[in-house]
Amino acid sequence: MWPKCIPLILVGSAHLSLAAALAKILVYTKTLQFRHDSIPTAVEALKARSSSINDMFNDETLLAYDAVLFLSTTGDVLDDAGKTAFQKYLNLGGNFIAIHSASDTLNTTAFYGQELGAYFDYHPALQNATILVLDASHPSTQELPTEWPVQDEMYNFKSDPRNVGAVVVLTVNESSYTDDGTRQFDQGSPHPIAWYQEHGAGVQSGGTAGRSFYTSLGHLNETWQDDTFMGHVLGGIQWTLLANSTRAFNESAVVGNGVAAGNNSSTNSSQTSDGGDGGNSTEDNSA
């Protein structure tokens, strides 16, 4: 049974070419609808580039993390208390990273949708497609070819992430794959595949906005064993952590760097906890 929370310590100089700071990321993998077979592979790929520590998703514990990463989550994976804690975390400068079906998560939670950028609508069958780089200067795209052949699900979205201030860094050549579905929403043009927000739109008025990054790629196990894809994901994580809104890079920040409430030192151990039922479900026509 896989834990639904996988906390990671990412040491910049060893893993992400960051400054000599210690950044902590909570990787959340709970699903209440479709559960991707690639989640364990994705977790191992991320853990191979990090060290793992304690877990739990609650108000006090979130304060210790420099970023929260929703990894292929689906459904309403947080109760009201969890949503309140997550909103507070974002208001205090916490950063957010979302991968693949994280866009099919908390679909009626307004602040989450804004922090994410856009919700998943549908995808055609898994197939080969050509991803196009729109901004080669972003850390998530710097190592990518201008035209990147992938096998993945080409997500369509219920809105244009640019409407909340997101900058789209990857699109797809729509002539390179077949989409027989019916698009009922305006997701903007060019077709958004991955994007970032310099200031996450899920923060309430008066809050301190951290950064947000989302990529819709990452369906297959093989994808998480591909160095090019991992460069894309790790580049997005690196960029997100450099928001300067958490303790990893800002001593005056109030969240992150392993310091939870009432604790004045970072923890650096190697353990994970079973967060209970990972939310396994039978396959359906969702993300």
Side-chain angles (χ1 to χ4, degrees):
M1 182 179 296
W2 282 90
K4 62 187 178 182
C5 294
I6 311 291
L8 306 175
I9 293 179
L10 297 182
V11 183
S13 59
H15 301 285
L16 291 179
S17 299
L18 299 175
L22 189 67
K24 290 179 59 177
I25 300 175
L26 178 64
V27 180
Y28 196 51
T29 66
K30 184 176 180 180
T31 55
L32 294 180
Q33 298 173 10
F34 177 74
R35 186 164 182 85
H36 285 82
D37 292 339
S38 61
I39 289 177
T41 306
V43 167
E44 288 303 319
L46 291 169
K47 286 172 66 178
R49 293 160 172 83
S50 65
S51 301
S52 57
I53 54 168
N54 318 337
D55 75 315
M56 292 185 62
F57 199 105
N58 58 50
D59 186 58
E60 179 179 355
T61 305
L62 286 180
L63 294 177
Y65 291 96
D66 295 280
V68 171
L69 191 160
F70 274 42
L71 175 59
S72 293
T73 50
T74 57
D76 203 24
V77 296
L78 296 178
D79 59 16
D80 288 344
K83 293 173 186 177
T84 299
F86 190 30
Q87 176 74 86
K88 178 180 178 181
Y89 170 78
L90 295 176
N91 289 344
L92 293 174
N95 299 300
F96 180 56
I97 302 151
I99 296 176
H100 199 49
S101 62
S103 58
D104 193 25
T105 300
L106 299 176
N107 288 280
T108 60
T109 304
F111 82 85
Y112 179 86
Q114 293 171 334
E115 187 73 15
L116 171 72
Y119 283 118
F120 166 81
D121 181 19
Y122 77 93
H123 65 76
L126 177 73
Q127 58 192 293
N128 295 326
T130 302
I131 300 298
L132 305 176
V133 174
L134 295 176
D135 180 359
S137 67
H138 193 266
S140 68
T141 60
Q142 285 178 345
E143 303 302 320
L144 300 181
T146 303
E147 297 186 2
W148 179 24
V150 302
Q151 184 181 36
D152 214 311
E153 295 172 333
M154 295 299 107
Y155 275 19
N156 292 288
F157 298 94
K158 293 182 178 179
S159 63
D160 184 349
R162 287 159 285 226
N163 291 342
V164 296
V167 177
V168 176
V169 293
L170 292 182
T171 185
V172 61
N173 181 345
E174 294 189 330
S175 67
S176 67
Y177 71 102
T178 301
D179 185 352
D180 294 326
T182 301
R183 296 182 185 177
Q184 302 181 28
F185 302 94
D186 180 9
Q187 63 184 354
S189 180
H191 186 143
I193 294 294
W195 58 78
Y196 68 86
Q197 297 181 54
E198 180 68 43
H199 304 287
V203 174
Q204 293 175 317
S205 178
T208 299
R211 288 177 169 179
S212 170
F213 174 79
Y214 172 74
T215 181
S216 62
L217 303 175
H219 179 74
L220 293 172
N221 283 298
E222 293 82 357
T223 301
W224 287 93
Q225 297 165 345
D226 178 73
D227 288 342
T228 302
F229 173 76
M230 288 306 300
H232 167 55
V233 170
L234 293 175
I237 293 174
Q238 173 186 357
W239 175 84
T240 305
L241 291 173
L242 289 171
N244 202 38
S245 60
T246 69
R247 291 192 187 101
F249 300 101
N250 182 352
E251 292 182 355
S252 64
V254 295
V255 297
N257 204 29
V259 183
N263 183 5
N264 293 321
S265 62
S266 297
T267 302
N268 187 0
S269 59
S270 297
Q271 63 181 33
T272 58
S273 301
D274 188 342
D277 183 5
N280 294 291
S281 65
T282 57
E283 183 170 356
D284 60 17
N285 192 32
S286 63

